[in-house]
Every structure is written in structure tokens, then in C-alpha cells.
């Protein structure tokens, strides 16, 4: 599996419904979003891409889109071993909206996800076969149930399921699309969701990515 993500979203409601209808991101709103979420860092516009190719940007690049009801950012500096420790300013930028963090890396089979609602942490999970379960906070979402029940178990694997399998299912649940596997007709087509690109010119208050990512 080669899926990698580093996604942060602020949402008023159903993200998938917004992304299905997404046209071009609002340029001014997207630039303001990037400035708010990456304070102290200089950026300049650069070439954008579609969501399918943007979930794990190159170092120093941010892909983002501000749409009616959803603000979406992809930046590998938003990857944290313990997603519950997302910096306060990133939560404050949500302004009361739902916050969804999704990060995974195929090189280490690592997955981290977290959701805040009305400023309160609802769920945080971080695990990999080498590191084990680093964080498991809050009640699992319904889509997690077959994984924890052992229905997705893999023979001779260090965890009760493959983190990337759960990560892909979380993408569908949170954002309405898959990076791997066969999409359904109801899924968002990530090749049809454009994002704007921003290149880092200087790093202010650097938030280091997860070690080795």
C-alpha cells in the first residue's frame, strides 16, 4: 500500500457533500486560511493540484482549499505522534467548527486520526506495528467497529488490523473518498477536487513533522 496523508479540515457539516460540489477554491479565503494555520511562515502561491495528488505534499509545500462550509489543508507538518496534542492555535482557527485530522504513512504502516467537536476532543487514535497503540482516546466511530472486533485481522501482524486499511476507511467516512480500493458511485472523486498550492519562503514557529516522516 502506498497511501500517505497529512490532512486537516475545518467543517460546518458534511465534508463529502461539499467536496462533491466543489468548484475552484476561493483564492482569498484559502490564502487567509493558510496564513492562519501556519503563522509566522512566509508563503507564496505555487502550482496547485487535485486532492488525489495532494494528500501528502512535498516538504515546504501546502495544498489548501477554502470552500463553502469546509476549509481543507494538506501539509506534512501537521502530522503528530499524539494527535490529541494538536496545538491550541490550530483548534482555535476552527472557530467552533468540527476539526478532523487524518495522517498516515505507508512506509511504517502508521495511522493517526482525531476529531474535535465544538472545541472538545471526541476521538484520537495513533498506531503502527512498530510503535503499537500510542494513543486511543474516546469512543471509536462506527466504521472502526469491525476492525476492533477482529473482523479485519491479519495473520502474523503486530496489530489486530492493518492501520492503512482503517485509515482508508476513515478517509471515506470523514471526507467521502478513497486513496486505495474500489470507490462506490456515491464517493467523492478526489481527481475532481482542485486545491491551491503555497510554497514556504521562510519558517517561523516550525512545527516538526512526526519523526521519520
Amino acid at each position: 500500500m502506498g497511501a500517505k496523508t497529512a490532512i486537516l479540515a475545518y467543517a460546518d457539516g458534511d465534508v463529502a457533500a461539499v467536496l462533491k460540489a466543489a468548484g475552484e477554491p476561493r483564492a482569498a479565503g484559502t490564502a487567509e486560511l493558510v496564513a492562519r494555520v501556519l503563522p509566522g511562515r512566509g508563503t507564496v502561491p505555487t502550482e496547485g493540484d487535485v486532492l488525489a495528488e495532494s494528500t501528502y505534499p512535498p516538504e515546504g509545500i501546502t495544498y489548501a482549499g477554502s470552500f463553502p462550509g469546509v476549509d481543507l489543508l494538506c501539509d506534512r507538518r501537521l502530522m503528530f505522534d499524539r494527535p490529541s496534542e494538536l496545538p491550541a492555535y490550530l483548534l482555535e482557527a476552527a472557530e467552533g467548527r468540527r476539526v478532523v485530522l487524518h495522517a498516515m504513512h505507508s512506509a511504517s504502516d502508521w495511522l493517526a486520526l482525531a476529531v474535535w467537536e465544538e472545541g472538545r476532543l471526541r476521538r484520537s487514535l495513533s498506531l503502527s506495528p512498530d510503535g503499537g497503540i500510542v494513543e486511543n482516546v474516546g469512543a471509536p466511530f462506527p466504521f472502526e467497529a469491525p476492525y476492533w472486533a477482529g473482523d479485519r485481522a491479519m495473520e502474523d501482524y503486530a496489530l489486530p488490523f492493518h492501520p492503512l486499511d482503517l485509515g482508508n476507511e476513515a478517509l471515506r467516512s470523514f471526507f467521502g473518498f478513497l486513496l486505495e480500493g474500489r470507490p462506490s458511485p456515491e464517493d467523492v472523486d478526489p481527481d475532481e477536487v482542485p486545491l491551491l498550492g503555497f510554497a514556504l519562503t521562510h519558517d517561523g514557529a516550525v512545527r516538526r513533522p512526526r519523526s521519520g516522516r
Side-chain angles (χ1 to χ4, degrees), residues 13-155:
D14 184 0
V15 175
V18 172
L19 295 183
K20 280 184 180 180
E24 288 294 324
R26 299 174 295 193
T30 303
E32 292 171 3
L33 170 68
V34 171
R36 188 166 69 248
V37 172
L38 303 174
R41 300 172 184 176
T43 60
V44 294
T46 189
E47 185 177 1
D49 210 332
V50 295
L51 178 58
E53 304 296 331
S54 302
T55 59
Y56 187 76
E59 190 72 44
I61 297 293
T62 301
Y63 292 118
S66 179
F67 306 98
V70 172
D71 286 333
L72 188 70
L73 293 109
C74 301
D75 189 309
R76 65 172 70 183
R77 289 165 294 216
L78 298 172
M79 304 172 80
F80 298 89
D81 277 325
R82 295 182 178 273
S84 67
E85 298 176 357
L86 192 74
Y89 75 90
L90 292 175
L91 295 176
E92 291 165 1
E95 299 177 336
R97 294 172 292 172
R98 190 185 205 213
V99 180
V100 180
L101 179 68
H102 187 289
M104 64 183 181
H105 201 291
S106 56
S108 56
D109 290 355
W110 172 69
L111 168 68
L113 59 86
V115 175
W116 291 259
E117 294 178 347
E118 298 181 348
R120 295 187 178 184
L121 181 67
R122 174 180 174 181
R123 178 73 172 128
S124 182
L125 177 67
S126 176
L127 73 169
S128 69
D130 289 338
I133 299 175
V134 175
E135 191 163 73
N136 186 7
V137 178
F141 286 97
F143 68 83
E144 297 181 56
Y147 295 87
W148 294 111
D151 297 343
R152 303 290 190 272
M154 298 178 61
E155 187 175 355

Side-chain angles (χ1 to χ4, degrees), residues 172-186:
R172 172 179 267 162
S173 180
F174 294 145
F175 303 106
F177 73 94
L178 299 174
L179 285 179
E180 296 186 325
R182 179 175 296 179
S184 72
E186 295 78 25

